């Protein structure tokens, strides 16, 4: 249903911005006459995705997350690429009666009229993130004219015929293919007969290409050259980095090489710059957990730890927390490794071990900068742990991450770092343990008939079934939108240990983790597995996914 509210008011109603941020943007608008939405975005108060959601509500239209959509080639062919890029639109689908197009310019009547004429259909506008529309228009039109897979197949054919190969082009194609399919990591692995290329997508490795083994040393040499590594050194591991531009978008890549019995294994981590990820709403927390998290991020002092293994979304949660803190009223300082996304009004610094700028040195320096909030990328050693805890009990809010398996396991981990139990109890506000599970693809998931007795046998607590009496369980199927995996995107499952006076006293008296967990469960803490089961019952993910990420 359409709402005739100004965009600023809608963004405020949705909880994306505050009144103070609107006022700052209006002040900027006096000196720089742009649309209010543009200014709010440039100041990092909102993302283009949040603006799109507000526009969708304003006009009573559907908001669409383009990361979960693959436009049909038939729809793309209706509109020339240059028109789509100029008008910032993305054709999504066409059928006998309707042409569906993603846009953020929903009042552009000239474009609407043009689309009706070229498609000879009714035009349905859906609202998408402006930046994502521009990005995916570039990617999908590029793929339409230059199928990456076809070009890689042609290179393989040339190699088998012992013809000259353009190795830099092959490496670029592998990077382009990874970016197109939202991969976070690229693995180039030599085996006895061939070299295999895997992409990690939504946390799971997927096999993409098998290439002739003769190409492997040349590919490794090319990657080493652009990563500023020693191409003559093949006996020991090396680490490097480089930047890559694909269709006017910049990506940072971290590179690791490792000698194996068949040659050097290469892993490249792709770091994009998508600020739309950093939204607590996108993490997938249920209402209770979302309120808990927001409450703690707004506390004046204490330490909040996000814990979990590598790749569990800890940095995303930290950045989402930063966006919730009012940086107009608080001095927010960070030490990161590396700075993955830049925020306005936040003093961000980057780890530089060679120069002697480490986490502990940064915390000491921050204390002389009158901070209110400190984000410490990771607690890795005893000194950093002690400084972070002491900062939290001297009037500062400290946010950081730690590698532990669950929330309660954080207590003995800090004790292993020689932090006295009384300090842990008095400084710790909350521990958020998390994992990422893949979300079912909305386009192809299928309902599964399963009785309550069967669910109880699977370990679902009775109280969860009481909470969701009208549960619906689905299974993964697979379609073009999810690369036939049945899943599209990821969501966090969490458990939150809240340190109240009773738990503080248990920690200070060196109680066992079992005693602490028992008390936390009595106070309403939901375990990781049970939070996962709730997402199964609400049709978000599957039992297989919960089993994959939680012991």
């Amino acid at each position: 249903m359409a709402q005739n509210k100004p965009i600023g008011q809608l963004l405020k109603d949705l909880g994306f911005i505050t009144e103070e941020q609107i006022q700052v943007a209006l002040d900027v608008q006096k000196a720089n006459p742009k649309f209010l939405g543009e200014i709010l975005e440039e100041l990092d108060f909102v993302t283009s995705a949040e603006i799109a959601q507000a526009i969708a509500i304003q006009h009573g239209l559907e908001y669409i997350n383009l990361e979960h959509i693959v436009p049909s080639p038939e729809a793309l062919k209706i509109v020339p690429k240059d028109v789509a890029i100029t008008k910032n639109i993305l054709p999504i689908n066409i059928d006998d009666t309707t042409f569906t197009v993603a846009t953020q310019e929903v009042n552009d009547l000239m474009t609407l009229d043009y689309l009706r004429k070229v498609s000879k259909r009714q035009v349905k506008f859906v609202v998408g993130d402006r930046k994502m529309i521009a990005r995916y228009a570039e990617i999908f039109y590029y793929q339409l004219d230059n199928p990456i897979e076809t070009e890689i197949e042609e290179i393989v054919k040339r190699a088998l015929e012992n013809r000259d190969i353009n190795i830099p082009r092959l490496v670029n194609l592998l990077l382009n293919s990874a970016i197109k399919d939202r991969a976070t990591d690229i693995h180039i692995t030599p085996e006895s007969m061939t070299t295999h290329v895997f992409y990690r997508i939504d946390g799971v490795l997927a096999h993409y290409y098998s290439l002739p083994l003769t190409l492997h040393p040349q590919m490794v040499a090319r990657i080493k050259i652009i990563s500023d590594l020693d191409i003559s050194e093949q006996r020991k591991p090396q680490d490097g980095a480089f930047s890559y531009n694909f269709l006017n978008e910049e990506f940072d890549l971290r590179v690791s090489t490792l000698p194996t019995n068949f040659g050097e294994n290469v892993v490249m981590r792709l770091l994009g710059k998508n600020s739309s990820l950093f939204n607590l709403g996108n993490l997938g927390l249920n209402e209770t957990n979302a309120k808990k998290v927001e409450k703690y991020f707004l506390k004046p002092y204490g330490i909040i730890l996000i814990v979990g293994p590598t790749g569990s979304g800890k940095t995303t949660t930290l950045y989402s927390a930063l966006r919730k803190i009012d940086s107009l009223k608080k001095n927010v300082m960070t030490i990161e490794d590396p700075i993955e996304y830049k925020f306005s009004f936040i003093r961000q610094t980057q780890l530089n071990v060679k120069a002697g700028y480490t986490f502990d040195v940064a915390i000491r320096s921050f204390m002389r900068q009158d901070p209110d909030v400190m984000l410490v990328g990771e607690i890795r050693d005893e000194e950093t742990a002690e400084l972070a805890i002491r900062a939290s009990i001297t009037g500062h809010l400290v946010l950081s991450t730690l590698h532990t398996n669950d929330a309660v396991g954080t207590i003995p981990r800090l004790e292993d770092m020689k932090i006295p139990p009384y300090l842990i109890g008095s400084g710790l506000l909350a521990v958020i343990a998390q994992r990422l599970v893949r979300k079912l693809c909305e386009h192809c998931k299928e309902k599964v008939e399963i009785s309550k007795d069967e669910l109880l046998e699977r370990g679902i607590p009775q109280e969860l079934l009481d909470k969701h009496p009208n549960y619906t369980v689905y299974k993964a199927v697979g379609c073009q939108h999810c690369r036939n995996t049945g899943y599209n995107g990821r969501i966090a499952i969490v458990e939150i240990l809240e340190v109240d006076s009773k738990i503080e006293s248990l920690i200070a008296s060196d109680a066992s983790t079992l005693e602490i967990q028992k008390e936390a469960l009595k106070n309403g803490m939901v375990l990781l597995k049970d939070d996962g089961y709730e997402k199964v019952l609400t049709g978000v993910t599957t039992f297989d996914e919960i089993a994959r990420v939680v012991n």
Side-chain angles (χ1 to χ4, degrees), residues 300-302 367 371-372 374 387-398 426-427:
Y301 55 86
M367 297 298 278
D372 294 298
M374 289 187 264
L387 286 167
I389 291 279
R390 289 196 181 279
S392 73
I393 59 177
T394 54
H396 308 91
L397 181 66
V398 180
S426 57

Side-chain angles (χ1 to χ4, degrees), residues 148-149 172-181 199 208-209:
I148 295 169
E149 294 76 11
N172 286 355
L173 286 168
L174 295 176
L175 291 170
N176 297 350
S177 175
I179 292 166
K180 174 179 74 73
D181 283 356
Y199 295 155
Y208 263 65
Y209 306 106

Side-chain angles (χ1 to χ4, degrees), residues 364-378:
R364 285 195 182 92
S365 303
F366 288 175
M367 297 298 278
R368 295 189 288 274
Q369 289 275 318
D370 186 30
D372 294 298
V373 180
M374 289 187 264
L375 183 149
V376 180
E378 187 182 339

Side-chain angles (χ1 to χ4, degrees), residues 149 152 156 174 177 181 183 185-191 193-201 204-212 438 483-485:
E149 294 76 11
I152 290 174
V156 170
L174 295 176
S177 175
D181 283 356
D185 301 85
I186 304 165
H187 292 238
I188 301 176
T189 304
E191 291 291 342
M193 293 185 292
T194 53
T195 284
H196 298 279
V197 179
F198 295 85
Y199 295 155
R200 188 176 294 280
I201 300 169
V204 177
L205 278 179
H207 183 274
Y208 263 65
Y209 306 106
S210 292
L211 307 174
R438 292 181 294 171
R483 302 170 310 282
N484 291 312
T485 62

Side-chain angles (χ1 to χ4, degrees), residues 293-391:
V293 170
E294 284 202 34
K295 175 180 81 175
Y296 284 109
F297 284 152
L298 297 175
K299 292 278 188 183
Y301 55 86
I303 185 167
I304 302 167
L305 294 174
I306 321 288
V307 304
T310 303
S312 57
K314 300 189 294 295
T315 302
T316 301
T317 302
L318 275 184
Y319 276 6
S320 302
L322 278 188
R323 292 195 61 234
K324 272 291 171 190
I325 292 165
D326 189 349
S327 55
L328 293 173
K329 291 182 176 176
K330 293 183 176 181
N331 181 15
V332 183
M333 311 197 71
T334 79
I335 170 69
E336 305 169 53
D337 180 27
I339 295 172
E340 290 185 27
Y341 186 79
K342 295 175 178 64
F343 295 92
S344 298
F345 301 103
I346 288 174
R347 269 58 67 189
Q348 293 174 269
T349 70
Q350 184 160 312
L351 197 74
N352 189 333
V353 177
K354 284 182 183 175
Y357 188 58
T358 53
F359 285 122
D360 54 306
V361 169
I363 297 172
R364 285 195 182 92
S365 303
F366 288 175
M367 297 298 278
R368 295 189 288 274
Q369 289 275 318
D370 186 30
D372 294 298
V373 180
M374 289 187 264
L375 183 149
V376 180
E378 187 182 339
I379 291 176
R380 296 177 181 169
D381 54 54
E382 294 173 13
E383 195 165 10
T384 305
E386 185 175 355
L387 286 167
I389 291 279
R390 289 196 181 279

Side-chain angles (χ1 to χ4, degrees), residues 511-545:
S512 70
T513 52
L514 202 61
E515 290 175 272
I516 295 168
Q517 181 163 300
K518 202 171 170 184
E519 180 63 28
L521 289 170
K522 200 165 39 167
N523 292 347
M525 181 176 88
V526 176
L527 295 174
L528 272 171
K529 187 177 278 188
D530 292 341
D531 189 43
Y533 285 153
E534 181 165 25
K535 287 175 171 61
V536 173
L537 295 180
T538 51
V540 175
T541 190
T542 61
F543 284 112
D544 288 344
E545 272 299 284

Side-chain angles (χ1 to χ4, degrees), residues 64-302:
I64 191 167
N65 184 346
L66 293 172
E67 284 198 340
H68 302 157
I69 296 291
V70 175
S72 75
E74 294 76 23
L76 291 168
K77 287 171 185 173
I78 296 291
V79 179
K81 177 184 176 180
D82 59 340
V83 174
I85 300 296
T86 305
K87 296 290 186 183
N88 199 230
I89 57 175
L90 181 64
I92 299 291
N93 191 43
I94 188 163
D95 57 28
D96 293 340
T97 59
T98 310
F99 184 33
T100 305
V101 178
T103 182
Q104 206 166 335
E105 304 301 324
V106 294
N107 291 323
D108 188 345
L109 299 180
M110 284 180 64
T111 299
L112 182 63
D113 190 46
Y114 165 79
L115 293 170
R116 282 180 183 144
K117 284 176 182 171
V118 295
S119 67
K120 300 180 176 59
R121 309 283 201 285
Q122 284 296 314
V123 173
K124 177 188 174 186
F125 273 163
V126 291
V127 184
D129 173 342
R130 176 177 52 80
K131 288 182 177 177
M132 297 293 275
I133 290 171
R135 180 187 184 199
Y136 283 121
E138 290 277 9
I139 287 175
F140 286 112
Y141 274 105
Y142 175 88
Q143 177 71 0
L144 196 66
D145 299 332
N146 314 275
I148 295 169
E149 294 76 11
T150 305
E151 200 172 340
I152 290 174
E153 284 170 18
E154 184 59 34
I155 288 174
V156 170
K157 187 179 171 186
R158 288 176 66 90
L160 293 173
E161 294 169 355
N162 294 317
R163 293 155 71 192
D164 287 341
I165 301 299
N166 185 340
I167 292 295
R169 178 63 183 159
L170 175 58
V171 171
N172 286 355
L173 286 168
L174 295 176
L175 291 170
N176 297 350
S177 175
I179 292 166
K180 174 179 74 73
D181 283 356
R182 299 186 299 105
T184 53
D185 301 85
I186 304 165
H187 292 238
I188 301 176
T189 304
E191 291 291 342
S192 58
M193 293 185 292
T194 53
T195 284
H196 298 279
V197 179
F198 295 85
Y199 295 155
R200 188 176 294 280
I201 300 169
D202 291 336
V204 177
L205 278 179
H207 183 274
Y208 263 65
Y209 306 106
S210 292
L211 307 174
L213 198 57
T214 52
L215 297 179
H216 188 80
Q218 301 169 68
M219 289 166 59
V220 174
R222 172 61 185 167
I223 292 165
K224 283 184 170 182
I225 288 167
I226 58 180
S227 307
D228 202 22
L229 298 178
D230 183 355
I231 60 170
S232 65
E233 179 56 75
Q234 299 173 12
R235 298 162 302 170
K236 64 182 183 183
Q238 294 187 66
D239 294 317
F242 67 96
S243 292
Y244 182 73
N245 190 292
F246 178 50
L247 302 176
N248 304 316
E249 187 171 4
E250 194 77 22
F251 294 86
D252 293 326
L253 286 102
R254 286 190 243 168
V255 178
S256 170
T257 67
L258 184 77
T260 72
N261 52 337
F262 293 114
E264 289 181 276
N265 193 71
V266 178
V267 176
M268 294 183 277
R269 164 64 59 92
L270 261 166
L271 300 170
K273 296 177 169 65
N274 181 7
S275 65
S276 299
L277 292 171
F278 310 128
N279 180 314
L280 280 177
N282 292 346
L283 296 177
L285 306 179
N286 64 31
E287 194 178 340
T288 306
N289 282 339
K291 282 179 180 172
K292 283 181 184 178
V293 170
E294 284 202 34
K295 175 180 81 175
Y296 284 109
F297 284 152
L298 297 175
K299 292 278 188 183
Y301 55 86

